[in-house]
Amino acid sequence: MPLMKSWVASANTPDTPFPLNNLPYGVFCSTGSDTQPPFGPYCGVAIGNMILNITDLEHEYFQYNVDPVFDIGCWNEFMELGPDTWAEFRAKLIEMLSENSPYQPEIETHLVAQSDVEMLMPFVVQEYTDFYAGRQHAANMGAILRGSPDLPANWLHIPIGYNGRASSVVVSGTDIHRPNGQMKAPDAEMPSFGPSKRLDIELEMGAIVGTASEFGKPITVDEADAMIFGYVLLNDWSARDIQGWEYQPLGPFQGKAFGTSISPWIVTSAALEPFRAPTPPREKDLLPYLNSTVDGLYNIDLEVLMQPQGATTATSLSKTNYNRMYYSAAEQLCHHAVGGCGMNAGDLLGSGTISGPDKSEYGSLMEVSWAGREPFTLDTGETRTFIEDGDQLTLRGAAKGDGYQIGFGDCAGTILPAVKHP
């Protein structure tokens, strides 16, 4: 599909992440000033370097219920209206924003510059589940922690995951405090308590469930695929030393619960449709309930950058692609519900760390530095093994089309010193 032209000039350049082909959904408020307080929140759609204020336009153009759905500063109520309404809304937006659209004089005054707003959480996260579905990452972690890249016995049969903390999911730009926790050095007799010394990131994609499933009722992979509203970039911040002491036998807990960052724009499944990619050949056949008729991954280029405090530029640490995953989001969602777990509109599924076969494609610092044994050098000349206070970590991603790209906006966070425990 080629670039779709818009009357919003900034949407027609090949370097914009938000052409008419994209139209991602977010929530914003004004930054305010010395004389004017902030206003919002509003639901908005990104187009070029502008945002179309949907909350302001709802009454005249987007009434789907007796009661408004865009007046509460999140996209959850709209999600619940289902795929037919999602398609109708997107078609209307394309009609309104296309080149030579008769709607231009009516809606142009409802555009606001992205540079003049603050982005907020685009949806209320109902539940958060994080998966471990990148094969290269799982093999690397096995080699680092157990001396062998062999996978756990169940790994090639099911998408492994754990239930995380929805309350810890924050939007890009939110600072993250280094977590305190309990750790134990291999040669120590007793554990110690204090700030994590091995703070890490995990490069992931987040899938957002848009329609609910019934409690007690499993769903197929194809049904799960239709339930997914859209995707965000996701940084699963990880305290490796806290995690290493606590995770057996029940898995991640405080080593993950202190923060998960997402990008500010929900890129819809419809916008990503031209970029579908197959899951890799299966080393072992999946059980029939995980079969599907559609390609479940997407061809999305991804990048990890680190910028130390005081540096003027960021260093690129890794470049990979979402198509490196072994399990798709739809397969993960299907497996999540197979025992009868009811899924909710607003549930967030983390893909698991996305790594490719080369070191240049590793999606965590644990892999890049090989658990601290191989320090890496930044463009500033500084070296790192894990994250230091003041470092800003940024995830970027875009699906590349014919003369355009479908971007997500940066997923960034800066690490602040640990809060002193009382």
Side-chain angles (χ1 to χ4, degrees):
M1 177 185 293
L3 172 69
M4 300 164 61
K5 291 295 187 73
S6 171
W7 54 264
V8 181
S10 59
N12 299 327
T13 60
D15 59 341
T16 179
F18 308 125
L20 185 60
N21 305 62
N22 191 351
L23 301 179
Y25 307 150
V27 173
F28 69 96
C29 69
S30 74
T31 53
S33 66
D34 292 338
T35 59
Q36 184 177 6
F39 55 86
Y42 297 119
C43 290
V45 173
I47 178 72
N49 58 16
M50 308 297 286
I51 302 172
L52 183 64
N53 188 325
I54 300 300
T55 301
D56 278 358
L57 296 172
E58 176 171 17
H59 177 72
E60 188 168 355
Y61 296 106
F62 303 114
Q63 282 193 300
Y64 299 111
N65 273 340
V66 174
D67 297 320
V69 297
F70 296 118
D71 65 338
I72 58 173
C74 70
W75 285 81
N76 294 62
E77 290 193 5
F78 176 76
M79 290 184 209
E80 294 174 3
L81 298 179
D84 289 345
T85 301
W86 306 344
E88 179 186 341
F89 178 71
R90 179 174 170 81
K92 185 67 174 179
L93 286 174
I94 291 173
E95 180 187 4
M96 296 172 78
L97 292 167
S98 290
E99 191 174 45
N100 301 319
S101 169
Y103 290 96
Q104 179 179 352
E106 303 170 27
I107 67 173
E108 195 166 12
T109 57
H110 296 279
L111 289 173
V112 59
Q114 292 184 31
S115 58
D116 292 339
V117 306
E118 176 186 355
M119 298 305 298
L120 308 176
M121 278 291 293
F123 69 106
V124 176
V125 181
Q126 297 296 333
E127 309 273 0
Y128 168 52
T129 301
D130 191 39
F131 285 87
Y132 186 55
R135 176 161 187 177
Q136 187 65 52
H137 174 71
N140 287 345
M141 294 300 283
I144 290 169
L145 300 174
R146 299 183 295 277
S148 170
D150 292 346
L151 301 169
N154 60 355
W155 201 94
L156 293 170
H157 297 278
I158 58 172
I160 299 170
Y162 73 95
N163 289 315
R165 292 289 302 170
S167 63
S168 296
V169 180
V170 296
V171 73
S172 174
T174 305
D175 294 335
I176 303 290
H177 281 278
R178 181 177 299 273
N180 291 301
Q182 195 176 122
M183 301 153 280
K184 183 180 179 298
D187 57 350
E189 182 179 348
M190 290 288 291
S192 61
F193 177 84
S196 169
K197 298 179 180 65
R198 295 162 70 87
L199 188 57
D200 199 357
I201 57 103
E202 290 189 341
L203 168 63
E204 303 192 23
M205 294 293 298
I208 301 164
V209 178
T211 54
S213 66
E214 294 181 30
F215 173 70
K217 181 181 178 181
I219 55 177
T220 68
V221 177
D222 286 356
E223 288 171 335
D225 189 84
M227 290 169 59
I228 296 174
F229 181 65
Y231 293 81
V232 291
L233 303 177
L234 187 148
N235 182 353
D236 178 27
W237 301 92
S238 301
R240 299 299 184 186
D241 39 9
I242 297 173
Q243 180 183 0
W245 171 235
E246 73 179 2
Y247 83 102
Q248 295 183 10
L250 295 182
F253 187 42
Q254 294 303 315
K256 299 277 193 176
F258 61 95
T260 300
S261 299
I262 64 170
S263 51
W265 296 102
I266 302 171
V267 175
T268 63
S269 297
L272 292 171
E273 187 66 28
F275 305 96
R276 280 191 181 268
T279 50
R282 302 305 186 182
E283 203 167 296
K284 295 183 181 295
D285 290 340
L286 298 180
L287 296 180
Y289 78 93
L290 286 171
N291 291 342
S292 63
T293 62
V294 295
D295 291 338
L297 297 179
Y298 298 94
N299 184 10
I300 302 171
D301 290 335
L302 300 166
E303 184 176 17
V304 178
L305 303 103
M306 174 183 274
Q307 184 168 342
Q309 187 173 22
T312 56
T313 59
T315 299
S316 178
L317 301 182
S318 173
K319 292 183 179 180
T320 188
N321 194 290
Y322 181 49
N323 63 20
R324 297 296 196 187
M325 298 304 294
Y326 193 81
Y327 293 101
S328 70
E331 289 168 338
Q332 293 168 342
L333 179 54
C334 167
H335 181 68
H336 203 323
V338 73
C341 174
M343 305 304 297
N344 303 309
D347 284 353
L348 176 65
L349 308 182
S351 63
T353 306
I354 306 165
S355 293
D358 299 321
K359 187 173 183 177
S360 63
E361 290 191 65
Y362 292 170
S364 71
L365 304 188
M366 186 76 164
E367 297 166 89
V368 173
S369 73
W370 212 249
R373 296 190 282 272
E374 300 176 9
F376 54 90
T377 302
L378 304 178
D379 292 347
T380 60
E382 300 169 75
T383 60
R384 290 287 189 275
T385 52
F386 292 97
I387 303 170
E388 295 186 6
D389 291 349
D391 288 345
Q392 182 181 78
L393 276 297
T394 301
L395 310 184
R396 287 184 180 150
K400 305 294 178 61
D402 180 10
Y404 70 96
Q405 57 182 324
I406 303 295
F408 294 77
D410 286 356
C411 177
T414 299
I415 295 299
L416 302 181
V419 177
K420 185 177 180 181
H421 192 268

